[in-house]
Amino acid sequence: MEKLMKVYAAFSQIDITPEYPVSLIGRYREKPSQGVLHRLFAQILLFQRDEEIFCLAAVDSLSLNVPLASIVRSKIADVLGTEVSHVMLNFSHTHSAPDPTPLGVNGEKYFSFLCTQLQSCVETAKLGLRPCKVGWTLGHANIGENRRAGCTITDNRLGGLMVAYADTGKPIALVVRISAHPNILPGENLNISSDFVGAAREELQSYYGSPVMILQGAAGNIRARGTNQVGEGSEEVFTSIASMLVEDVKKLHFVLGEVEDIRMFSEKMDCFSDLPTLEEAEKIAQKTGAQGWRDAVAASREKGIVTQEFQIEANFLKLNGGCFCGVPSEIFCEIALEVQRYTGNPFFFLNGYTNGYTGYLPSQEEWHKGGYEMELSYLFDYMYTERLAHYCPETADRLVELAAEGWQRMNGE
């Protein structure tokens, strides 16, 4: 008889709210933060199998760019004595979090603080590792709607993963996966906030009497239901979305079982962005005021660069029959749904906002429709991502194949 593997798990969370003014990222604000509306947290969920240890982290942040996220992952990996590919950082994508870059007020100070807090959180979690059981379930959360003109498709899957102590069945942590932009607070808001994600998490933790981790999924084109075209809403909408999510999560039911398969690894894919000509860049800059972007395009072309090349890392965490697969982009919901169709597995969750940020990644059909995500976003995001143009249109289809084939290989298909 084959011996069942023994898997251990532990959870810890820590406050990552700065006690000093910072620039808020996600919308342009001339002034730095002036207070705290909802505190920010980082959460760590560890799994250990034999000598291997895996880390799933959730961080209240718009995101970090890939270089900064890589620094954080390396620091966590060092604490755990594991590989960087065994560390997955999922960002909530709140638009009222600190800018952790040198471009923001106290940005470098905050990034250093964030690293220290995360390392401390991991150290605490390491001390609590105990044998665990797990259970997946699937519900629906109708908290999001497609913000693109003429589109109604959403990824309203509410993924649930319960991790509990093997001997008592008491929850170690409930992991919930959603897809909806947490930018309900208006652009004039100058208070730090985890937006509706934090409000829902706090209420759910009180309800369950145990930790709740909320992961952001495929929300690149999904706004919170009831908000305007750019995602802003009222206090009533904020309360409504948080309450809807809480009620939907309460409907989830779990059946716990032994951990029969757990693994974590990364696959990388080369991606390309074709730069505009100098004449095209000049016309765009005159129309939008993006002179800094135009100068960056000119500098690249002077070096002979006409196409930028980047890598997308797809980070997989497989646990029995389910999988979180994260990529460092704002993926459109159609991409995650296509991976589900391709694999035939509703518990395969392709998530964006993971291990960094490289901008929007639309489905090929939506890419050809244009719009803000393909035509304007990179004019200002380039300061963080270094990408000066949108991904080539076939990128999404290649990502679907990469993610689906990764799942099939894991299952020997």
Side-chain angles (χ1 to χ4, degrees):
M1 180 180 295
E2 184 178 350
K3 183 180 178 181
L4 286 175
M5 68 174 65
K6 200 164 191 178
V7 175
Y8 299 77
F11 177 90
S12 181
Q13 67 180 16
I14 197 166
D15 195 310
I16 57 169
T17 313
E19 302 299 338
Y20 41 82
V22 292
S23 298
L24 298 181
I25 193 169
R27 303 190 195 279
Y28 173 73
R29 301 166 175 96
E30 186 175 347
K31 298 179 181 179
S33 63
Q34 297 184 2
V36 178
L37 191 59
H38 307 99
R39 299 194 72 81
L40 309 177
F41 289 88
Q43 300 172 305
I44 297 292
L45 179 59
L46 299 181
F47 296 97
Q48 184 173 14
R49 179 196 64 194
D50 299 327
E51 299 303 314
E52 288 190 296
I53 192 162
F54 311 116
C55 176
L56 175 63
V59 183
D60 285 334
S61 170
L62 182 79
S63 190
L64 302 176
N65 59 30
V66 172
L68 291 183
S70 296
I71 291 173
V72 172
R73 294 173 74 197
S74 294
K75 289 179 179 293
I76 291 175
D78 287 345
V79 172
L80 295 173
T82 192
E83 304 172 19
V84 172
S85 63
H86 289 176
V87 178
M88 180 185 291
L89 296 178
N90 181 277
F91 300 97
S92 68
H93 202 57
T94 172
H95 285 52
S96 298
D99 180 349
T101 73
L103 298 173
V105 173
N106 287 319
E108 291 175 300
K109 179 179 180 180
Y110 180 72
F111 179 69
S112 177
F113 167 71
L114 177 63
C115 289
T116 299
Q117 292 296 89
L118 276 164
Q119 287 172 295
S120 176
C121 193
V122 173
E123 290 280 12
T124 301
K126 279 176 60 179
L127 300 176
L129 287 163
R130 287 174 50 186
C132 69
K133 291 186 176 182
V134 300
W136 289 92
T137 194
L138 188 67
H140 292 85
N142 294 314
I143 59 173
E145 56 189 6
N146 200 306
R147 71 183 186 189
R148 302 262 298 168
C151 297
T152 59
I153 190 169
T154 62
D155 183 2
N156 62 3
R157 288 176 298 163
L158 178 62
L161 171 65
M162 179 66 77
V163 184
Y165 294 112
D167 54 352
T168 66
K170 180 181 177 181
I172 296 172
L174 167 60
V175 184
V176 176
R177 185 267 193 182
I178 63 169
S179 291
H181 251 75
N183 59 345
I184 297 176
L185 296 174
E188 60 267 22
N189 169 60
L190 293 176
N191 291 313
I192 292 168
S193 173
S194 49
D195 212 275
F196 78 85
V197 170
R201 183 177 60 216
E202 183 177 352
E203 187 172 343
L204 285 168
Q205 289 183 150
S206 176
Y207 175 80
Y208 283 100
S210 62
V212 174
M213 174 185 280
I214 297 179
L215 303 183
Q216 189 61 258
N221 54 343
I222 305 298
R223 64 188 179 194
R225 186 174 296 277
T227 57
N228 63 21
Q229 198 62 33
V230 295
E232 295 178 327
S234 63
E235 184 176 343
E236 290 75 18
V237 171
F238 183 99
T239 301
S240 172
I241 293 298
S243 297
M244 288 171 63
L245 178 56
V246 167
E247 293 306 309
D248 287 334
V249 172
K250 288 180 180 179
K251 297 174 185 175
L252 298 177
H253 296 284
F254 298 89
V255 177
L256 298 175
E258 301 290 341
V259 179
E260 299 175 348
D261 187 12
I262 182 170
R263 64 188 89 174
M264 198 170 188
F265 64 95
S266 290
E267 300 263 356
K268 294 185 178 180
M269 181 179 81
D270 291 330
C271 301
F272 307 93
S273 296
D274 293 330
L275 298 187
T277 65
L278 293 179
E279 292 76 13
E280 291 169 336
E282 181 61 36
K283 289 180 181 179
I284 293 171
Q286 289 181 1
K287 185 177 180 180
T288 62
Q291 280 77 21
W293 167 81
R294 175 204 58 197
D295 294 343
V297 171
S300 293
R301 282 198 162 268
E302 285 177 5
K303 297 176 183 177
I305 300 172
V306 297
T307 298
Q308 289 185 304
E309 182 175 344
F310 299 86
Q311 280 194 325
I312 284 182
E313 176 189 1
N315 197 191
F316 296 79
L317 172 58
K318 182 183 188 296
L319 195 55
N320 290 349
C323 184
F324 294 125
C325 178
V327 295
S329 304
E330 290 204 63
I331 58 173
F332 278 26
C333 66
E334 293 91 336
I335 301 174
L337 293 174
E338 182 63 13
V339 174
Q340 177 200 333
R341 186 198 66 78
Y342 201 121
T343 62
N345 182 6
F347 293 101
F348 189 104
F349 299 104
L350 182 63
N351 299 333
Y353 316 103
T354 303
N355 297 334
Y357 182 80
T358 60
Y360 287 98
L361 179 51
S363 62
Q364 184 160 181
E365 180 180 356
E366 290 301 307
W367 189 98
H368 287 290
K369 294 180 183 178
Y372 168 77
E373 294 87 353
M374 280 65 74
E375 297 170 355
L376 294 176
S377 61
Y378 57 87
L379 301 182
F380 308 99
D381 287 349
Y382 81 92
M383 293 184 291
Y384 302 98
T385 66
E386 298 183 354
R387 285 184 56 240
L388 295 170
H390 46 63
Y391 286 115
C392 292
E394 69 277 4
T395 306
D397 290 345
R398 293 177 56 228
L399 176 59
V400 169
E401 292 179 7
L402 177 73
E405 289 173 1
W407 173 257
Q408 290 170 340
R409 282 196 302 273
M410 283 187 282
N411 290 277
E413 298 176 13

